[in-house]
Amino acid sequence: MMVIILVYLFILGMVLGSFYNVVASRLPKNESIISPGSHCENCNHKLTWYELIPVFSYIFQGGKCSKCKIKLSILYPLSELVTGILFVLSYVIFGASYQMLMSLVVVSVVVITVISDFKYMVILDEPIIIGSIMISILLFFDGGLVYLGNSMFHGIVLLVIMVLIKLFGDKLFKRESLGWGDVKLSFLAGLLLGVRLGAVYIFLSSVIALPYAIYITCRKKDNVVPFGPFLAISMLIIYWNSSFVFKILGYLLGV
């Protein structure tokens, strides 16, 4: 039975991963995610059903458009595969629970945020809003109204903390240090993690982003580093390992 569930989640994740790629690629350009249908961005060839099979279509077509033969981005199958794997890991970690459903929501927000921020330097409002609403509903059913209210409070507190960090950073560096999308994403992180784990989320995202920032600086390219993907990845890592992180915090703080 467990194998069937894992296979189903993997397939669902790959299918949704394909959709998330569309969302992350079209919304920053103010394009509809419904019309036109999936097509080659070079020759506008409308993709048939067998060209839309996650991962496998890319492999069978040799990574090229079947019409104009232009090379397709590896990002498409990669995002599908990663989403499928992350959906499976959500079940492996949490089992059939509200936490697993929340993990699926977080994975979805993470995938869209990583793609849109790396490609267009934009963190979309829609995934954050929808993700926050869905997680709020799950929190209510999991712990009741008081539990939800407490989580909302933590989300607001972390949002305010990120606003203060942004304002201080903008003043210090005389330029935009964080985007407002990073700030909005932190409300979702606070809602999900609480303030204490939220502080770790901010710290860990900075640690994860550091090697990439150094790489960009050494390459002497535009030194603007999209911070959203690292915030999103940090949020997922900490949520998956919240019990372990709490133990570490308790040891360090002597609680």
Side-chain angles (χ1 to χ4, degrees):
M1 183 63 180
M2 183 177 179
V3 174
I4 295 175
I5 294 175
L6 294 178
V7 170
Y8 171 75
L9 284 173
F10 182 65
I11 294 173
L12 176 64
M14 288 199 299
V15 171
L16 288 177
S18 180
F19 173 67
Y20 296 156
N21 214 322
V22 172
V23 171
S25 299
R26 292 193 183 186
L27 287 187
K29 298 184 290 185
N30 294 318
E31 296 178 353
S32 170
I33 61 175
I34 300 175
S35 178
S38 297
H39 60 280
C40 173
E41 295 183 359
N42 183 60
C43 67
N44 291 320
H45 164 62
K46 185 177 180 180
L47 303 184
T48 57
W49 68 268
Y50 53 83
E51 292 175 301
L52 293 171
I53 302 174
V55 180
F56 294 103
S57 291
Y58 182 90
I59 296 173
F60 294 150
Q61 293 171 204
K64 299 178 181 178
C65 171
S66 61
K67 187 78 171 180
C68 67
K69 305 302 179 183
I70 192 172
K71 188 175 181 180
L72 302 175
S73 172
I74 190 66
L75 182 64
Y76 297 117
L78 187 60
S79 61
E80 295 164 353
L81 184 62
V82 168
T83 308
I85 293 173
L86 294 180
F87 269 39
V88 167
L89 289 176
S90 296
Y91 182 81
V92 171
I93 294 170
F94 296 109
S97 63
Y98 285 115
Q99 287 71 31
M100 186 271 286
L101 295 176
M102 283 190 273
S103 181
L104 297 184
V105 174
V106 175
V107 166
S108 301
V109 174
V110 168
V111 171
I112 295 173
T113 299
V114 169
I115 296 173
S116 67
D117 208 13
F118 269 129
K119 286 184 71 173
Y120 302 106
M121 298 290 289
V122 171
I123 296 179
L124 299 167
D125 289 338
E126 292 86 348
I128 297 175
I129 294 172
I130 295 173
S132 297
I133 292 172
M134 294 180 70
I135 287 177
S136 296
I137 293 172
L138 291 169
L139 288 171
F140 172 76
F141 281 109
D142 185 34
L145 189 59
V146 174
Y147 183 52
L148 171 60
N150 186 57
S151 298
M152 293 284 288
F153 173 75
H154 284 281
I156 293 171
V157 170
L158 196 62
L159 174 70
V160 172
I161 290 174
M162 286 297 286
V163 169
L164 295 176
I165 292 174
K166 171 180 169 54
L167 295 178
F168 177 76
D170 290 354
K171 188 174 183 62
L172 179 65
F173 298 110
K174 302 291 193 295
R175 54 180 292 183
E176 188 176 61
S177 57
L178 289 174
W180 286 109
D182 302 321
V183 174
K184 296 172 189 175
L185 181 63
S186 295
F187 169 78
L188 177 58
L191 180 69
L192 183 74
L193 303 174
V195 173
R196 281 192 295 175
L197 290 183
V200 181
Y201 142 86
I202 296 173
F203 172 76
L204 180 61
S205 61
S206 301
V207 173
I208 298 173
L210 183 59
Y212 180 74
I214 294 174
Y215 168 76
I216 291 296
T217 302
C218 291
R219 289 291 299 270
K220 296 182 179 180
K221 294 182 178 180
D222 184 355
N223 60 358
V224 176
V225 177
F227 195 43
F230 304 103
L231 285 169
I233 293 170
S234 174
M235 175 172 61
L236 182 61
I237 291 173
I238 293 175
Y239 183 62
W240 278 1
N241 298 278
S242 57
S243 297
F244 174 74
V245 177
F246 265 126
K247 289 180 181 178
I248 296 297
L249 283 177
Y251 176 76
L252 293 176
L253 300 175
V255 180

